[in-house]
Amino acid sequence: MVALNSQDIALKQAFSTKEEAITAAGQLLVDQGYVEASYIEKMKERDAMTTTFIGNMVAIPHGTDDSRDMIKNSGIVILQVPDGVSFDGNEVKVLIGIAGAGGEHMDLLSSIAIVCSEEENVAQIVAAESKQAIMDFFEGSESA
């Protein structure tokens, strides 16, 4: 699992549309130096092809297969959206933007899926009051 730092996490975000939410996740990936700005459009393209909503109020926006050359470093960003945003009628309260360099893409997805497959975990991420609580969650300790 890629180590998170506090700059990878945005608490108490609010979005009107999934496009806004995906753009914000992409911009955080750009700001953190994980991807080039052009990756954001590829994230929107990917969601238009197949929703990036995975269930349990979680979406994992990421780029298309042809966006790999836009990834500078593997990384993930987490956006907490307590009031939710609709992804094609599905409520999303946790957005996890990912950029996997080389073969790390599937490793990132499986690590995220393990944490987010439990509704209770997602509820704790949504309720977290600090970035550290979310970081601890993904690093395997439960202090949230």
Side-chain angles (χ1 to χ4, degrees):
M1 183 74 183
V2 171
L4 285 169
N5 65 57
S6 62
Q7 291 80 39
D8 293 329
I9 300 169
L11 298 176
K12 297 181 177 31
Q13 302 295 294
F15 306 105
S16 306
T17 65
K18 74 172 183 174
E19 288 78 18
E20 257 182 47
I22 293 170
T23 299
Q27 189 58 54
L28 193 50
L29 285 168
V30 171
D31 294 347
Q32 290 299 96
Y34 298 131
V35 298
E36 295 172 11
S38 51
Y39 189 76
I40 297 171
E41 283 309 310
K42 294 296 183 178
M43 291 171 77
K44 292 180 192 172
E45 260 180 52
R46 172 67 179 78
D47 187 77
M49 291 189 301
T50 310
T51 184
T52 53
F53 172 74
I54 62 161
N56 283 353
M57 300 184 295
V58 177
I60 306 180
H62 55 284
T64 56
D65 288 341
D66 66 351
S67 65
R68 294 189 199 289
D69 58 343
M70 299 170 193
I71 298 171
K72 298 176 184 177
N73 297 294
S74 291
I76 68 171
V77 295
I78 300 172
L79 289 78
Q80 179 198 62
V81 189
D83 295 331
V85 60
S86 175
F87 268 58
D88 309 309
N90 298 299
E91 186 177 40
V92 169
K93 292 190 174 192
V94 177
L95 271 100
I96 303 174
I98 68 169
E104 294 180 24
H105 189 80
M106 293 313 290
D107 292 341
L108 288 173
L109 281 173
S110 62
S111 299
I112 293 163
I114 290 165
V115 172
C116 295
S117 64
E118 299 290 329
E119 264 181 69
E120 175 186 313
N121 292 352
V122 176
Q124 288 182 30
I125 293 166
V126 172
E129 291 292 325
S130 72
K131 293 180 177 186
Q132 187 61 52
I134 293 174
M135 288 164 47
D136 291 347
F137 218 87
F138 280 90
E139 286 160 15
S141 61
E142 294 203 17
S143 65

